[in-house]
Amino acid sequence: MRKRLFLCGIFATIMTVVMAQQNKYSVVGEFGVPQYKGKVYVYDLFTKQPVDSTDIQNGKFVFNGTAETPTVGVLLHPKRGALTCFILEPGNIEIKLTSQVPEMKGTPLNDILCAYTKHLQNMDADTRKAQAKTLSENMIASHGNDILGVLVMCEAEGLGMNVEDALKLLDKCGDKVKEHPAIVAKKAEWESLLKTSAGKMFTDFTVEYDGKKTSLSDYVGKGKYVLVDFWASWCGPCRREIPNIASLYKKYKDKGLEVLGVATWDKPEDTLKAMKELNITWPQIINAQRIGSDAYSISGIPQIILFAPDGKIVARDLRGEELKKMVEDVMKK
């Protein structure tokens, strides 16, 4: 009995060593620019956790390790930021950062990722959105059940797809993509965005500040067009949109337009200070923090949404001239 257990232990140890050997990877990289010095790091794109670090020597670097499951690595330089993504998988991977478009090769998925990246870079500017959408659909047809499929789906919105397109494409993916934590989170975000897209009825939320509760429904759905600006005092682009909003408010406030600010991810005292600095005279929901942004799946501000008199969303993601034109068009009706 002891002999059998001993042999089983040896067999398990051998198998562990064999598997570790099979899962080994090496990443050999070249900057081609002597100015790159110090250390270079690899982070997991999805977990945001560091994977490894190494010294740069004469513009080159080498990583060695094991990868039980392929993931997307992000090559990071402390001063230069994120340099490129690559598939961290078993095998010998080469990364060249010597030209405008990074090259990664040596393993099956990295070879495909490199070709895919070059296609994106070489697309005609006028038709890029449509071409990128088609390219991503083709990628999912071939890699809808591996880590490349996960990467493509994570970048769907930046590749010419709206939320409905992204969800339809996700339906064509296999379980390895659908059940990946990053995609589970993305799907929840897309479904929430779909509920708050143009044509949908508004989603209400309530914020308490200084002993008083204020709801979006106190303003929206009351028979007027309402322009809602999710903003913050520290946000430069938000502050630059204020004059556009002020101009529209002055021009149309007596003709059926209401404007509402939602102070997002901001300290109340900073919001109040900014309101004075920017001469903001329209109503505000102060101290909303993440309440309003979560309700509308907002990941970046300013987010300006126009609501119809009945409470339906007319448009979102409005900025600059598009904002002015949209408000002017609906106020003519």
Side-chain angles (χ1 to χ4, degrees):
M1 183 67 177
R2 288 181 180 178
K3 184 177 180 181
R4 183 180 297 176
L5 289 173
F6 177 71
L7 290 174
C8 286
I10 292 176
F11 179 74
T13 301
I14 292 171
M15 288 305 297
T16 300
V17 171
V18 169
M19 290 301 293
Q21 292 291 332
Q22 289 177 344
N23 292 331
K24 275 190 172 182
Y25 68 79
S26 71
V27 180
V28 178
E30 180 181 356
F31 286 109
V33 180
Q35 291 90 323
Y36 282 91
K37 296 178 180 179
K39 283 186 174 291
V40 65
Y41 299 81
V42 173
Y43 276 74
D44 188 305
L45 176 67
F46 305 115
T47 66
K48 311 302 180 188
Q49 296 298 311
V51 175
D52 205 350
S53 66
T54 191
D55 292 314
I56 301 169
Q57 296 181 352
N58 298 320
K60 297 180 180 181
F61 58 90
V62 177
F63 291 100
N64 290 294
T66 58
E68 293 182 13
T69 304
T71 188
V72 179
V74 179
L75 198 64
L76 182 72
H77 188 273
K79 293 184 179 180
R80 305 286 180 168
L83 302 169
T84 191
C85 289
F86 66 99
I87 306 302
L88 191 61
E89 62 178 337
N92 299 316
I93 303 164
E94 295 179 44
I95 297 179
K96 288 190 176 182
L97 299 162
T98 54
S99 60
Q100 188 175 357
V101 182
E103 292 187 15
M104 60 294 291
K105 62 180 182 179
T107 59
L109 294 183
N110 278 298
D111 291 345
I112 295 167
L113 178 59
C114 186
Y116 173 73
T117 304
K118 286 182 178 179
H119 274 303
L120 287 175
Q121 290 290 333
N122 293 328
M123 284 178 180
D124 183 76
D126 295 332
T127 57
R128 177 180 170 81
K129 187 174 180 179
Q131 288 183 69
K133 182 174 179 290
T134 300
L135 181 60
S136 59
E137 289 171 347
N138 292 338
M139 282 288 286
I140 290 300
S142 302
H143 296 277
N145 202 34
D146 62 33
I147 197 66
L148 274 178
V150 175
L151 180 60
V152 170
M153 290 308 309
C154 280
E155 297 181 344
E157 292 157 276
L159 295 173
M161 279 180 277
N162 57 34
V163 172
E164 290 178 287
D165 289 337
L167 286 169
K168 286 177 183 177
L169 192 58
L170 182 59
D171 283 339
K172 299 178 181 179
C173 293
D175 290 343
K176 287 183 180 178
V177 173
K178 289 179 179 178
E179 294 174 4
H180 191 282
I183 300 304
V184 171
K186 268 289 180 186
K187 184 182 180 183
E189 178 186 328
W190 290 334
E191 289 174 340
S192 180
L193 275 170
L194 197 59
K195 292 177 184 177
T196 58
S197 59
K200 303 293 185 180
M201 188 59 71
F202 79 98
T203 297
D204 200 14
F205 61 85
T206 301
V207 174
E208 184 172 355
Y209 170 66
D210 200 24
K212 180 184 176 182
K213 291 184 178 180
T214 307
S215 300
L216 184 65
S217 57
D218 294 337
Y219 299 89
V220 173
K222 301 294 185 182
K224 288 185 176 183
Y225 280 100
V226 185
L227 194 65
V228 179
D229 176 28
F230 293 81
W231 72 291
S233 64
W234 49 263
C235 168
C238 297
R239 297 176 77 103
R240 289 193 288 273
E241 286 295 335
I242 296 299
N244 293 329
I245 297 171
S247 176
L248 292 168
Y249 186 54
K250 181 179 179 181
K251 186 175 181 179
Y252 294 111
K253 68 177 180 179
D254 296 328
K255 298 178 182 179
L257 177 70
E258 181 66 270
V259 174
L260 173 68
V262 180
T264 304
W265 317 328
D266 206 4
K267 295 178 181 178
E269 57 268 29
D270 292 342
T271 300
L272 294 169
K273 180 182 177 183
M275 287 173 63
K276 289 181 180 179
E277 293 172 348
L278 299 168
N279 195 29
I280 293 175
T281 58
W282 48 90
Q284 297 286 319
I285 296 180
I286 296 174
N287 200 35
Q289 302 306 339
R290 299 202 63 87
I291 296 172
S293 57
D294 285 350
Y296 284 84
S297 295
I298 295 170
S299 58
I301 52 176
Q303 172 61 256
I304 304 173
I305 304 175
L306 179 63
F307 295 88
D310 63 356
K312 287 183 180 177
I313 298 170
V314 177
R316 56 182 294 166
D317 302 313
L318 294 169
R319 300 278 289 274
E321 291 302 315
E322 185 184 7
L323 166 62
K324 291 180 182 178
K325 187 178 186 305
M326 178 62 70
V327 172
E328 287 169 356
D329 287 347
V330 299
M331 295 310 296
K332 289 176 184 177
K333 297 178 182 179

